Amino acid sequence: MSKKRRIVSIVVFAVIFAALLVGIVLTSGASPASEEPIGEVMKDAVLHETGKINLLGIRINPGLVSAFSVSGIMILFALIIRIFVIPKFKLKPGRFQFLLEKAVGLFDGLAKENSPHKSHFIGGYIFSAGAYIFFSTLFELFGFQAVTVTGRPISLPAPLSDINGAIAMGVFSYGVILIGGLINNGFKGMFNALKDFSLPISMSFRLFGALLSGALVTELVYYYSLTSYVIPVLVGVLFTLLHAVIQAYVLTMLVSIFYGESSEPSRKKKRGKKI
Amino acid sequence: MPLNIDIQQILLHMLNFVILFAVGYFLLYNPIKKFMDKREKYYSDMDEEAEKKLSDSEKLRADYEEKLKELNSETERIKSDTLTEARAKADEMIKDAKAEASDIISSARAQGEAEKNDIIRSASDEIRELARSTAEKLITSENEDEYNKFLKSVEEADNGENE
């Protein structure tokens, strides 16, 4: 692209941008985009009391629909990769192979670092959990629509911004740590994990709080039409990306550390000879 | 329940994640990890083999150097032995040649002496014959006494020489 053409493109873009901004300010002011009051919108984003979805006769939160959707897509991709990509792996990796190996290597390294005695299983677990948290958080960016039982359309949120999803993830991870301690270290390992009984609550609510805060900020930004044009690009996308990376890292790191502690072989105390 | 917590939905979320975990673990993590381990083993084996070959070649080089050193010292020893032997042989040959030369000279001297004696004897005989013939000629031409006298003197001279 020549210099002249580049300048023309920038000027055209700036004029369109300015015209849009002016138009937004002149026409809407600070009026709400939704007829529902902001308090109600945010309460619904947290509790999903009104925006339920009917799935096979069960009234469920939209977060569960998101979870099923994300899992379905991920399982489909996993199958495609397993059937078509992994058998063609080469010693000198291509870009996609490098990406897959990097992801596996990242979680495997995290598992080996934090749980050096038993790292294979927990490596696989945090790989799946990390991928789930990352992709399910990014899922809300696509804004897939569903219809609630009241007939209102709703944008599918991140599965973990639903408190049930966050509790499921936290409790299941704690269960993995507990069972890991029991299998590797017997009841001593299990009791070692049991003493951190606050762990499932802290893990669940950390996930829930972090993802919910992102969702609430996005809801807030989208609520007023004045702030719903440019700012969501920065706030919504960046917050979501940051949450996806940070929460995936935090949960996988915590799980691997606690798993490492519970599965660590107990050291036998050396008794000194009595003189 | 408070905060819209629903046990059924929690269990559904868990079921969903268990399925996802199983798929992620068995379809992605395990095969990729296995491949990575296999590749790591392949390169570590290759590295180990190269190390082994290098150490073998170092050992071989040291052996060859040792052998070369031994060979050099053996060559030096053989060279020195050969030189000593050659010198001894040369000395012996010179000694033999000198002895032979001395023999040749002494035999030549003896032969020369004998030839000289022979020549002297034959010269004496010739002189005697010449004297006899001269005396005979004189006798036949002048007187016989003179001749006899002469013969007598010659015989006396011969006897004296023989003694």
Side-chain angles (χ1 to χ4, degrees), chain B residues 122-158:
Chain B
S122 77
S124 299
D125 288 347
E126 273 178 25
I127 290 165
R128 196 177 295 130
E129 193 59 38
L130 193 64
R132 194 186 304 264
S133 65
T134 310
E136 274 177 0
K137 276 177 188 172
L138 283 170
I139 291 165
T140 51
S141 59
E142 293 176 7
N143 65 49
E144 207 171 326
D145 289 336
E146 288 297 321
Y147 176 66
N148 286 334
K149 279 180 190 173
F150 179 73
L151 280 178
K152 204 175 174 182
S153 68
V154 170
E155 276 173 4
E156 281 170 7
D158 277 347

Side-chain angles (χ1 to χ4, degrees), chain A residues 188 265-271:
Chain A
K188 200 175 176 183
S266 54
R267 290 172 195 162
K268 286 179 182 175
K269 287 178 184 173
K270 286 179 183 175
R271 288 178 184 174

Side-chain angles (χ1 to χ4, degrees), chain A residues 1 105 137 159 167 192 198 239 268:
Chain A
M1 191 186 274
T137 309
I167 289 174
N192 199 22
S198 62
F239 274 21
K268 286 179 182 175

Side-chain angles (χ1 to χ4, degrees), chain B residues 21-61:
Chain B
F21 164 55
V23 168
Y25 187 78
F26 291 110
L27 291 190
L28 292 180
Y29 183 79
N30 251 353
I32 295 174
K33 180 86 179 30
K34 215 175 268 179
F35 178 82
M36 286 162 75
D37 290 345
K38 208 169 124 188
R39 182 175 52 198
E40 198 178 323
K41 192 176 174 304
Y42 171 77
Y43 280 119
S44 79
D45 283 354
M46 197 188 255
D47 196 39
E48 210 172 285
E49 202 177 325
E51 284 283 329
K52 194 171 166 282
K53 275 183 182 169
L54 194 71
S55 108
D56 283 354
S57 66
E58 282 289 327
K59 202 178 159 193
L60 211 64
R61 196 174 72 116

